[in-house]
């Protein structure tokens, strides 16, 4: 039950690891009573099934009156709740269950619907869970996933937004903390800026908030219809979307000086915004106008990536976490069924499976809580680490200088403390001595760049130490990495003013300058169109960047002089995951001059 019902056109089976499609997960609240929310979900689900040519499910029957049968079976309602399975068509199954929340009577109740429908190379599964604690709001969670029938078949990288989410959200008057959850972008004027900032900083907010700016030379209606709506097509139920009109943009950026958005850029504000923290601004990714207009469809996928990650990582609200795992009812006994003793053994095995499934679900929830705690602690420590980094680097230089003198022998270590201090490097020398002179040292220290991730094979880089110009190459590589780190820090804040090449041409004061002629935006058309050469530049990236775990890294830095000197290949994903991935450091990859 998705918004993209037609199967995708046939594509060649590409090489690379297979991974399941990223599920869709929506969690919102509604002011409706529990039964009213269930009735709405059933009505919309039944309407969609009828539209697809399936039998509309019968109304839910109270537990004691529920009949027994091979396709619809359950006895009187038990303290653990009730469950039933309905077969609506060939390979179309609807599981319905409900009962009290775990934690004892009086804590609340839940109702769940799980629909399974056939799909190319597998099954679509849609689950709607509605849970209400005594005295609390009604929580609604909708999950859609694709279960592949064959691990070797490549599936779409993400499950589309279900049609049920688009139709149900407006009927529920869904909210996320204090904010209404809409299916379409909302325009904010100057009068609404204060409310928007309050929403961004509200501690109860769980969903990301996407804020789009409008270019100065375009009408807001044109930008909204032509860019923002298609860009946010994959966000209903995953994020709230706002568009700042010109007057609102100015007031918004004055109030949030470390979290600004302008010039047609779109910024994703994750929960727990700290408007007074410069470091917190790095956490909220910016997608520049250039990236959006280059490929609107790809930009829409990139924009949805962070909300989907957050939906998977966030701990469930307490009422939803207290919902037991689904217990599928057994079919009714047939005349040729096994003897009762074997039947009881089967029931015991099913109960054990159910307990194991529940234990895994509880463990997953504990992992989510631990991950949120670790991310919060990381955010608290990041400003401290940045402040301590210069001192740490200075101490590291002193350690290396003193260790070098100690290794030189007793004669080098002799002398008074005054002489020793005098021989320590002066500030300019410390900076110079802090640069690695070998690739062995460089690779051990590459984690000093928090926004750079090395994904390649270290062997290619380490082999450069055996070359005649290894020390010079290591120094230049370190300078390039330093410049990439400073560029990435500005890019995630939306302040880079272009790509890395432009950054090198107009390096801001106080930043390390890397020669612009050594920063290359991409490979030649000859390399790109040559299958073998292009494959060499398909380098590792995390699955969150590309589901194949490979990406073409044409952008590179020239290390040393000459067209066949070593290269550093990288992928700039600052507008997506907020990082730069370095996939290769080593001798020049194959091209027309190295052949």
């Amino acid at each position: 039950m998705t918004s993209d019902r037609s199967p995708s056109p046939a594509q060649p089976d590409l090489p690379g690891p297979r991974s399941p499609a990223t599920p869709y997960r929506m969690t919102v609240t509604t002011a409706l009573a529990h039964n009213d929310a269930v009735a709405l979900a059933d009505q919309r689900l039944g309407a969609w099934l009828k539209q697809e040519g399936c039998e509309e499910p019968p109304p839910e029957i109270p537990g004691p009156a529920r009949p027994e049968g091979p396709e619809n079976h359950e006895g009187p309602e038990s303290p653990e709740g009730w469950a039933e399975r309905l077969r609506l068509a060939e390979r179309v199954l609807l599981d319905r269950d409900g009962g009290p929340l775990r934690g004892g009577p009086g804590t609340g109740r839940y109702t769940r619907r799980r629909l399974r429908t056939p799909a190319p190379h597998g099954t679509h599964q849609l689950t709607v869970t509605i849970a209400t604690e005594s005295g609390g709001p009604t929580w609604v969670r909708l999950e859609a996933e694709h279960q592949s029938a064959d691990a070797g078949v490549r599936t779409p990288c993400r499950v589309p937004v279900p049609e049920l989410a688009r139709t149900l959200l407006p009927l529920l008057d869904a909210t996320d903390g204090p904010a209404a959850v809409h299916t379409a972008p909302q325009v904010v004027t100057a009068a609404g800026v204060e409310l928007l900032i309050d929403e961004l900083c509200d501690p109860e907010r769980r969903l990301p908030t996407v804020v789009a700016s409008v270019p100065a030379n375009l009408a807001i209606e044109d930008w909204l219809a032509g860019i923002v709506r298609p860009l946010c097509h994959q966000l209903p139920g995953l994020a709230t979307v706002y568009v700042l009109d010109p007057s609102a943009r100015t007031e918004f950026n004055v109030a949030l000086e470390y979290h600004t958005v302008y010039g047609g850029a779109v910024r994703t504000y994750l929960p727990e915004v700290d408007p007074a923290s410069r470091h917190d601004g790095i956490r909220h990714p910016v997608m520049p106008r250039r990236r959006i207009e280059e490929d609107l469809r790809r930009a829409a996928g990139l924009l949805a990536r962070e909300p989907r990650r957050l939906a998977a990582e966030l701990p469930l609200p307490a009422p939803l976490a207290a919902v037991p795992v689904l217990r599928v009812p057994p079919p009714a006994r047939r005349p040729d069924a096994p003897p009762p003793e074997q039947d009881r053994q089967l029931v015991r095995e099913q109960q054990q499976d159910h307990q194991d499934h529940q234990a895994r679900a509880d463990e997953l929830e504990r992992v989510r809580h631990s991950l949120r705690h670790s991310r919060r602690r990381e955010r608290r420590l990041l400003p401290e680490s940045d402040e301590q980094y210069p001192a740490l680097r200075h101490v590291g230089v002193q350690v290396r200088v003193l260790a070098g003198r100690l290794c030189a022998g007793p004669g080098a270590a002799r002398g008074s403390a005054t002489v020793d201090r005098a021989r320590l490097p002066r500030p300019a020398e410390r900076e110079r001595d802090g640069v690695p002179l070998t690739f062995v040292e460089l690779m051990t220290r590459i984690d000093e760049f928090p926004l750079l991730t090395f994904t390649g094979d270290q062997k290619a880089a380490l082999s450069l130490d055996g070359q005649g110009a290894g020390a010079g190459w290591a120094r230049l590589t370190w300078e390039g990495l330093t410049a990439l780190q400073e560029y990435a820090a500005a890019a995630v804040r939306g302040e880079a003013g272009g790509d890395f090449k432009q950054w090198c041409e107009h390096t801001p004061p106080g930043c390390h300058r890397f020669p612009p002629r050594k920063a290359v935006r991409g490979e030649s058309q000859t390399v790109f169109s040559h299958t073998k050469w292009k494959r060499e530049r398909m380098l590792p990236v995390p699955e969150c960047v590309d589901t194949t775990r490979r990406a073409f890294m044409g952008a590179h830095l020239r290390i040393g002089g000459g067209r066949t000197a070593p290269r550093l290949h990288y992928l700039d994903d600052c507008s997506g995951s907020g990082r730069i991935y370095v996939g290769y450091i080593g001798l020049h990859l194959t091209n027309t001059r190295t052949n």
Side-chain angles (χ1 to χ4, degrees), residues 193 197 250-258 275:
V193 168
I197 294 175
T250 302
E251 189 170 334
F252 182 86
N253 288 333
V254 169
L256 296 178
E257 58 176 325
Y258 302 132

Side-chain angles (χ1 to χ4, degrees), residues 362-417:
D362 293 340
E363 177 62 23
L364 179 61
E365 193 60 20
R366 284 192 290 271
V367 170
R368 288 190 180 116
H369 279 280
S370 298
L371 179 59
R372 182 172 65 172
H373 173 75
S374 298
R375 288 195 185 279
R376 285 174 171 172
R377 187 166 183 269
E378 181 184 43
R379 291 201 298 272
R380 289 196 301 269
L381 294 177
L382 184 61
E384 299 177 15
S385 66
D386 284 356
E387 293 170 4
Q388 295 172 3
Y389 178 73
L392 177 64
R393 187 170 180 176
H394 169 52
V395 171
V397 170
Q398 289 182 326
V399 168
R400 285 190 293 275
V401 170
L402 292 172
R405 290 171 54 197
L406 188 63
C407 292
R414 269 200 310 269
S416 65

Side-chain angles (χ1 to χ4, degrees), residues 61-185:
I61 303 173
R66 188 169 292 109
E68 295 188 8
E71 301 300 338
N72 185 343
H73 171 84
E74 178 66 19
E77 190 165 349
S78 67
E80 291 78 23
W82 58 271
E84 64 179 354
R85 166 164 286 184
L86 305 172
R87 185 180 298 276
L88 306 178
E90 182 66 24
R91 293 182 60 201
V92 178
L93 297 176
L94 176 63
D95 294 317
R96 304 195 294 199
D97 72 323
L101 298 176
R102 292 185 298 156
T107 57
R109 59 182 175 139
Y110 77 94
T111 304
R112 176 168 41 206
R113 308 287 187 255
R114 187 180 72 178
L115 177 66
R116 290 185 170 184
T117 56
H121 308 299
T123 302
H124 279 314
Q125 178 170 294
L126 181 78
T127 307
V128 182
T129 307
I130 300 172
T132 309
E133 268 187 332
S134 301
T138 300
W139 286 91
V140 180
R141 182 168 173 86
L142 192 154
E143 302 171 89
E145 51 192 314
H146 177 86
Q147 298 177 337
S148 179
D150 185 355
V153 174
R154 185 174 299 281
T155 58
C157 61
R158 66 181 64 85
V159 176
V161 178
E163 192 65 29
L164 182 63
R166 300 185 190 275
T167 59
L168 197 57
L169 279 172
L171 298 175
L172 291 172
D173 291 329
T175 57
D176 172 43
V181 180
H182 300 283
T183 57

Side-chain angles (χ1 to χ4, degrees), residues 209-222:
T209 299
V210 175
V211 179
S213 61
V214 181
N217 59 337
L218 290 179
I220 187 170
E221 296 81 7
D222 297 339

Side-chain angles (χ1 to χ4, degrees), residues 507-511:
T507 306
C511 293

Side-chain angles (χ1 to χ4, degrees), residues 328-365:
V328 177
R333 283 184 50 102
R334 298 187 305 273
D336 58 345
E341 180 57 37
Q342 295 184 20
D343 200 22
R344 285 193 290 270
Q345 176 64 26
L346 179 62
V347 170
R348 285 194 292 269
E349 292 176 357
Q350 290 175 339
Q351 289 176 342
Q352 183 61 49
D353 289 343
H354 181 79
Q355 292 171 2
D356 293 344
H357 192 186
Q358 186 67 65
R360 289 194 296 270
D362 293 340
E363 177 62 23
L364 179 61
E365 193 60 20

Side-chain angles (χ1 to χ4, degrees), residues 36 149 246 294 387 432 440 464 468:
D36 293 338
E294 276 179 359
E387 293 170 4
R432 184 179 70 245
V440 171
L464 297 176

